[in-house]
Amino acid sequence: MTFSTIDWLILLAYLGFTVAAGLCAKRYVENLSGYMVAGRRVGLSLGVATFAATELGTITFMYFSELGYVTGFSCFIIGILAMLAYMFVGRTGFIIERLRSLEVMTIPEYYEMRYSRSVRLLGGIILFLGGVLNMGIFLKFDGIFLSEVMGFGPNALAVIMVIMIIVVVLYTVLGGMFSVVVTDYLQFVVLSIGVLVALIAVLVNVDLTSIGNAVMGQYGESGVNPLVNPRFGWMFIVWILISNVAAGALWQPGTSKALASENPKVAKKVFFYTSLTFAGRAMIPMFIGVAALAYLGPNESPTAAMPKLLRIVTPRGFLGLLVAGMLAASMSTYSAYLLAWSSVITRDVIACFRAKDFDERTTIRITRIFAILIGAFLLIFGLWYQIPDTAFQYLFITGAMYTAGALGCVAAGIYWRKANIVGAYAALIMGAIAPAGFLLLEKSAESLPAWLAFITDVNVSGLLSFVLAGAGMYFGSIFTQKAFPPSMKLVGGTVE
Amino acid sequence: MNFGVVVWLLIFALSAAIFFIVAAVVAVKGLGDLRTLLRHSKRNDGPLP
């Protein structure tokens, strides 16, 4: 199928409606809290919709389907691990309940409350770098998706992506979290319909027996057993489970949805109910990737196989709905991420160089400028950078640069009385070393000495980041208790 | 079909069903939340902060 007039009409109508809704929401921004966390008035169902929409972009579809194509069913374990991790955070309120009680707007704010302003600065820098690098490949993968599904050349689609990022930047910059929440809701509805359309089209055209046979024929036992698949194994499973707990509790775009909730109890419920969607969020695109293996054969580009299959099997008219759904998914993710990272650079980095915080008007103005700059960065980085390994592993390793140290700092800060400023510095720095080492050295793996070769294994680097961050917090704090006695003012989450 | 394939297909079917059920419930109830959020938020018709 090719993109027909009716597909274009559906797509343009949807884009126009979303932009109008996002721009209307700017009327409700009354102050900084309104801009950053929607005045902390987001209810349960809306919270679940906006959280799920943030966590499901076209990039999510692309990296999960890529994994399905290259590993068969064994990657489905990732969906189960994500569901369990977010369920744990939702049931126990691990970290998020305390952060919501303290009414912080960004995670590094907690560093200043518990440790010092300089820890907040370091944490803010690492979070910003890890977050923006993580987001850097989104646009490229969205471009690949659109070029395959709509049947255009990459040049035309680069123009479409430029238009899309301009639209998202526009309503995020003007409306802040109100626009994000309002458009996320609309986008969640549209993307759910788009995902349903895609899944039905695939199930109608590719039978389950041929999918099973393709996986067994191509990958054998490693296609159904993640423990024997060379890309996965125990180390990968442990890393992804810990990483999902850390990301659930501490990844600014997602956690900000908990911080925007009506109260800590609602924040926990938002996480719990959203966790129920996480297995499906991963397995639906993975399944379509596996179906692409069965339908197109093993010689396609793993990244382009899923959109190519969807273009072939999706009926006219529904293709427009599908692309609208995927654009909805992307825009909701972009807007939440843009707001999150521009908030962090403004409040946790630039403001930390001053003795006093900026006033609200200046904070919002600087946040808007950085949202625009990050949008420009996405265009440049996405076109230039070649990712190592699979997109999934790139996203988790760049995420680990921040989440490993943050988990050490915040979890220890909340639940361990002996956590001190030295431990916080050590956790943040040591947590970032292994992922940074991987990103810097992976491209020259062959020239590395044998003793350093382990750093180019993405699973080893990922797990090592959490081990080093934990060790940094523990030993850094234990050995310096007398010289740097821990602050007791936030132990237990309450100001004493 | 291989036993492992059947198990994963069943898990997939269950996960997809839960995803769409939660999506449907949230889509309906979220609209109410959205109305409440906007009703209780002060409109700012003047210049933006």
Side-chain angles (χ1 to χ4, degrees):
Chain A
M1 294 286 166
T2 52
F3 220 65
S4 63
T5 311
I6 184 77
D7 293 315
W8 273 111
L9 287 175
I10 292 170
L11 182 59
L12 292 174
Y14 166 71
L15 282 177
F17 183 68
T18 305
V19 173
L23 292 176
C24 281
K26 77 181 195 310
R27 292 169 181 274
Y28 296 93
V29 179
E30 46 201 81
N31 55 22
L32 187 62
S33 152
Y35 188 79
M36 300 280 191
V37 285
R40 293 196 179 89
R41 285 191 287 260
V42 176
L44 176 59
S45 297
L46 187 58
V48 174
T50 182
F51 191 11
T54 299
E55 296 296 324
L56 184 56
T58 302
I59 177 73
T60 325
F61 245 73
M62 291 296 281
Y63 68 68
F64 278 143
S65 66
E66 181 189 44
L67 268 186
Y69 190 86
V70 298
T71 65
F73 292 110
S74 56
C75 62
F76 281 26
I77 189 72
I78 294 166
I80 295 173
L81 294 173
M83 183 181 74
L84 293 176
Y86 279 76
M87 206 173 263
F88 166 75
V89 174
R91 289 298 291 180
T92 61
F94 180 64
I95 293 178
I96 55 159
E97 191 175 17
R98 299 283 169 82
L99 291 181
R100 176 60 188 83
S101 302
L102 292 167
E103 298 198 342
V104 297
M105 292 186 199
T106 64
I107 311 287
E109 275 184 60
Y110 176 79
Y111 299 157
E112 182 172 356
M113 290 172 156
R114 178 68 169 83
Y115 302 109
S116 73
R117 197 166 176 85
S118 53
V119 173
R120 177 179 179 180
L121 173 62
L122 178 65
I125 291 171
I126 293 174
L127 171 56
F128 179 75
L129 288 178
V132 171
L133 279 177
N134 181 277
M135 193 184 178
I137 64 165
F138 287 15
L139 202 59
K140 181 176 191 170
F141 275 75
D142 288 1
I144 295 170
F145 176 85
L146 288 173
S147 67
E148 288 295 335
V149 167
M150 298 170 82
F152 288 113
N155 292 339
L157 283 157
V159 173
I160 291 174
M161 298 312 295
V162 170
I163 294 169
M164 196 177 87
I165 197 76
I166 288 172
V167 167
V168 178
V169 167
L170 191 68
Y171 73 69
T172 308
V173 161
L174 289 176
M177 188 60 98
F178 267 107
S179 288
V180 170
V181 168
V182 171
T183 52
D184 269 3
Y185 171 76
L186 297 172
Q187 286 156 352
F188 181 71
V189 174
V190 176
L191 81 86
S192 298
I193 295 168
V195 170
L196 188 61
V197 166
L199 190 57
I200 291 171
V202 169
L203 286 170
V204 166
N205 287 278
V206 192
D207 70 277
L208 296 178
T209 308
S210 65
I211 291 174
N213 291 340
V215 169
M216 294 312 293
Q218 186 67 24
Y219 302 117
E221 180 68 11
S222 73
V224 289
N225 185 349
L227 294 177
V228 300
N229 190 301
R231 286 180 185 271
F232 303 138
W234 277 113
M235 196 173 287
F236 173 86
I237 288 172
V238 174
W239 168 40
I240 295 302
L241 186 61
I242 297 172
S243 196
N244 268 301
V245 171
L250 293 161
W251 191 239
Q252 183 71 31
T255 311
S256 64
K257 303 301 158 61
L259 304 178
S261 300
E262 285 174 336
N263 56 54
K265 210 171 172 180
V266 170
K268 283 171 66 179
K269 285 185 179 174
V270 165
F271 266 69
F272 181 76
Y273 287 112
T274 309
S275 76
L276 298 176
T277 68
F278 270 63
R281 161 189 175 264
M283 287 186 202
I284 293 169
M286 286 169 179
F287 176 81
I288 299 175
V290 177
L293 174 73
Y295 194 88
L296 302 170
N299 299 321
E300 294 291 332
S301 153
T303 315
M306 179 273 288
K308 194 169 184 178
L309 173 68
L310 291 181
R311 188 188 73 219
I312 295 169
V313 301
T314 310
R316 185 169 293 180
F318 287 101
L319 204 55
L321 197 59
L322 173 68
V323 171
M326 287 299 111
L327 279 177
S330 284
M331 287 163 70
S332 57
T333 306
Y334 282 24
S335 57
Y337 275 60
L338 277 175
L339 185 65
W341 305 139
S342 54
S343 305
V344 166
I345 188 80
T346 304
R347 290 175 57 81
D348 303 317
V349 178
I350 295 174
C352 279
F353 285 109
R354 295 161 47 92
K356 275 182 67 180
D357 284 340
F358 292 114
D359 61 55
E360 292 197 356
R361 182 178 290 265
T362 311
T363 301
I364 292 176
R365 194 175 296 148
I366 298 173
T367 304
R368 285 171 169 161
I369 291 168
F370 272 100
I372 295 167
L373 292 176
I374 294 168
F377 168 81
L378 289 182
L379 284 174
I380 298 163
F381 186 84
L383 293 170
W384 163 73
Y385 186 70
Q386 294 294 322
I387 58 164
D389 221 299
T390 61
F392 174 82
Q393 281 156 320
Y394 170 82
L395 290 171
F396 267 75
I397 200 74
T398 48
M401 270 179 76
Y402 155 74
T403 50
L407 184 65
C409 277
V410 181
I414 291 173
Y415 303 110
W416 189 42
R417 286 179 171 269
K418 291 184 176 176
N420 71 3
I421 187 170
V422 178
Y425 277 125
L428 286 171
I429 293 167
M430 290 175 71
I433 285 176
F438 171 82
L439 290 169
L440 292 172
L441 300 176
E442 187 274 340
K443 296 217 185 292
S444 50
E446 288 168 5
S447 57
L448 288 177
W451 64 269
L452 198 56
F454 69 92
I455 201 79
T456 60
D457 181 326
V458 67
N459 297 338
V460 173
S461 295
L463 185 57
L464 195 59
S465 64
F466 286 94
V467 174
L468 288 176
M473 169 51 79
Y474 180 75
F475 292 111
S477 298
I478 285 290
F479 291 135
T480 59
Q481 287 288 296
K482 283 186 181 167
F484 298 93
S487 161
M488 286 292 118
K489 63 181 179 181
L490 280 184
V491 171
T494 53
V495 182
E496 292 172 8
Chain B
M1 234 190 300
N2 177 282
F3 177 72
V5 171
V6 174
V7 170
W8 281 123
L9 285 175
L10 288 173
I11 293 172
F12 162 71
L14 184 66
S15 304
I18 292 172
F19 177 90
F20 289 115
I21 289 168
V22 173
V25 172
V26 162
V28 174
K29 296 183 98 176
L31 194 59
D33 280 356
L34 191 58
R35 283 189 185 135
T36 307
L37 173 73
L38 298 182
R39 196 167 48 235
H40 292 128
S41 301
K42 204 170 78 182
R43 275 175 67 121
N44 182 351
D45 289 323
L48 288 170

